Amino acid sequence: MPTYDYRCKSCGQTFEYFQSMKDDPITTCILCGKSGEVDRLISNGGGIIFKGSGFYVTDNKSSSSKNSESSSGSSGNSSN
């Protein structure tokens, strides 16, 4: 579930609110309690998090597959 940024028109404060994407935007400021005075802001979103191996050149292939590629690549070049 995402965290949304809101700004209250009454008190001018900005706050975050954790809610489902299916939920309607909130209409009451959680800081001052005024109803109908809240705007949802457009945010830059969250960053991408890469977990696990396979994101670096050294993690992509095992040493045995590197050796077989280099031998097949060199034989293709010598036939020209």
Side-chain angles (χ1 to χ4, degrees), residues 1-4 17-21:
M1 290 201 306
T3 302
Y4 292 100
Y17 192 75
F18 185 71
Q19 67 184 126
S20 173
M21 290 192 296

Side-chain angles (χ1 to χ4, degrees), residues 2-66:
T3 302
Y4 292 100
D5 293 329
Y6 287 91
R7 179 177 293 132
C8 179
K9 294 177 188 177
S10 180
C11 67
Q13 295 293 320
T14 303
F15 58 93
E16 294 179 341
Y17 192 75
F18 185 71
Q19 67 184 126
S20 173
M21 290 192 296
K22 296 178 183 178
D23 293 344
D24 292 329
I26 61 172
T27 57
T28 304
C29 178
I30 61 172
L31 302 174
C32 70
K34 300 251 179 155
S35 181
E37 299 289 324
V38 179
D39 289 328
R40 184 159 48 178
L41 303 175
I42 298 173
S43 64
N44 60 358
I48 298 173
I49 300 172
F50 294 104
K51 291 186 178 181
S53 63
F55 299 106
Y56 298 98
V57 174
T58 56
D59 290 344
N60 286 342
K61 300 175 184 173
S62 66
S63 60
S64 61
S65 66
K66 285 182 185 178

